[in-house]
Amino acid sequence: MNLRQLEFFRTLADTEHMTHAAKLLNTTQPNLSHSMSELEKELDAQLFEKKGRNIQLTKYGKFFYTYVSTALEELTKGERALRELVSPEKGMIDFGFIYTAGSFLAPMLMKQFSDQTGNEQIRFNLFQGNSSDMTDLLLKEDVDIAITSKLKEDDQLNYEILTEQEIVLVVPVDHPLAIHDSISLKETSEYPFVYFNKRSGLRPYLDQVLKAASINPTIICEVEEDHTMLGFVAYNYGIALIPKIPSISAYNVKTITVKDNLFPRYIYLATKKNHFLTPAALRFKEFIVPFAQNMFYQ
């Protein structure tokens, strides 16, 4: 049994006329007749019976017709949906980004892309998490494109630099360090830290930064994302090193510039090597990198 046989069966059942059905199917009457005979042999059931000069479904044919018709309709819907999904003008992009990128970078890039002529109907399916989550989603091909930090080199993934993040110190507004507008990391050593957990892409970076400053931080609690960290700092759980994101201003904290010559903290556009990108996803990828680099590195 094959798809072509099922299409022959449905058309013949609908027309109840061998010659007419063969013409609609762009085949010969003998070929159609042979195909139906083979189908009946395979099913071990008579599907058609003669009715004068025409033919009609037997009760077994009527029973089978319901399933065939539903299956072919679902296949047609699936084909239509898939073509729309991969359409350059109406496609769906599975787009992931780390928490830090959610307050500015990701929505800004999506809006700039969607405002361009020809991209208005392209839709996004969004995923948010930490850098470990983005790596997992890329490798499982649940996302096509991700904005993320690089936890380590991975020969299955491509990384392209989008921007560099400035790292700042945030403290409660009534904290002793809040009198400073800029500070060296040495001056933070006696205070407890609210810190990113080990699944965060910022964790290894901050470990490296503090180690270079000869600081072994007292970690009062570990969190996964920026806004939780800001909430804990605002309620005086500790101080924190965090990317300078616009939403810091929404919290009751003081932002302090770090004087130290910190290692660069890059944010990347990541894709899986040899992973098929739809025309819409490829268009978005080819838009993101030059746009971000022109914006941040002029």
Side-chain angles (χ1 to χ4, degrees):
M1 187 187 309
N2 57 53
L3 183 60
R4 188 64 171 155
Q5 275 182 310
L6 297 180
E7 290 172 341
F8 279 12
F9 168 78
R10 182 174 66 171
T11 302
L12 184 55
D14 288 340
T15 61
E16 297 186 337
H17 196 282
M18 188 70 71
T19 303
H20 187 198
K23 186 176 181 180
L24 290 174
L25 292 164
N26 196 27
T27 189
T28 64
Q29 184 175 329
N31 186 42
L32 176 57
S33 178
H34 174 73
S35 180
M36 292 302 93
S37 294
E38 291 298 309
L39 182 60
E40 288 179 328
K41 287 179 184 177
E42 184 174 348
L43 295 172
D44 199 23
Q46 184 179 347
L47 301 175
F48 294 98
E49 60 188 1
K50 288 186 177 181
K51 182 184 178 184
R53 299 180 63 181
N54 294 349
I55 59 173
Q56 64 181 15
L57 290 171
T58 65
K59 69 176 184 178
Y60 305 108
K62 291 176 182 177
F63 175 84
F64 188 51
Y65 178 89
T66 301
Y67 290 94
V68 171
S69 182
T70 300
L72 291 177
E73 285 173 8
E74 287 300 307
L75 284 172
T76 299
K77 289 178 185 177
E79 179 184 3
R80 190 183 306 118
L82 180 60
R83 289 186 184 279
E84 184 172 309
L85 195 64
V86 301
S87 164
E89 292 80 24
K90 297 183 179 180
M92 174 74 77
I93 301 171
D94 292 318
F95 179 38
F97 46 89
I98 54 176
Y99 293 114
T100 299
S103 62
F104 171 67
L105 185 59
M108 182 273 293
L109 290 172
M110 287 173 57
K111 185 66 168 62
Q112 292 292 332
F113 174 77
S114 297
D115 283 347
Q116 289 196 338
T117 302
N119 298 339
E120 301 91 342
Q121 297 185 69
I122 292 175
R123 296 164 295 149
F124 289 88
N125 189 25
L126 301 180
F127 299 79
Q128 191 174 20
N130 56 37
S131 294
S132 295
D133 295 330
M134 292 303 107
T135 299
D136 293 343
L137 290 169
L138 283 165
L139 293 176
K140 291 190 297 182
E141 300 187 357
D142 288 336
V143 301
D144 302 310
I145 297 169
I147 294 176
T148 182
S149 58
K150 187 192 296 186
L151 296 173
K152 61 182 180 179
E153 293 295 335
D154 191 317
D155 59 9
Q156 296 185 71
L157 300 177
N158 281 316
Y159 289 95
E160 299 176 77
I161 294 175
L162 285 182
T163 185
E164 182 178 349
Q165 283 187 324
E166 180 185 358
I167 301 298
V168 295
L169 182 73
V170 290
V171 302
V173 291
D174 57 355
H175 192 274
L177 295 179
I179 61 173
H180 300 287
D181 292 321
S182 63
I183 200 170
S184 68
L185 289 176
K186 288 284 188 184
E187 296 174 82
T188 70
S189 59
E190 64 181 279
Y191 300 102
F193 276 81
V194 180
Y195 215 59
F196 286 103
N197 67 25
K198 292 182 179 179
R199 284 187 61 82
S200 169
L202 274 159
R203 177 62 176 258
Y205 172 83
L206 294 178
D207 287 346
Q208 185 183 21
V209 163
L210 293 178
K211 183 179 180 180
S214 301
I215 296 173
N216 184 22
T218 300
I219 299 173
I220 197 71
C221 63
E222 297 183 3
V223 300
E224 184 168 328
E225 54 88 32
D226 313 81
H227 294 282
T228 302
M229 176 169 281
L230 287 165
F232 273 81
V233 172
Y235 274 90
N236 207 22
Y237 271 79
I239 63 176
L241 290 167
I242 190 171
K244 188 178 182 180
I245 56 177
S247 49
I248 290 177
S249 60
Y251 293 84
N252 196 28
V253 299
K254 171 69 180 293
T255 302
I256 303 173
T257 302
V258 177
K259 294 178 182 177
D260 303 56
N261 186 22
L262 302 181
F263 306 110
R265 156 69 178 174
Y266 292 118
I267 298 297
Y268 299 86
L269 180 73
T271 53
K272 185 179 180 183
K273 294 178 181 177
N274 303 317
H275 169 57
F276 169 74
L277 290 179
T278 65
L282 185 60
R283 185 187 294 183
F284 185 49
K285 176 180 180 292
E286 291 174 347
F287 165 82
I288 288 178
V289 175
F291 182 88
Q293 291 180 349
N294 287 337
M295 180 175 181
F296 297 113
Y297 295 107
Q298 292 186 50

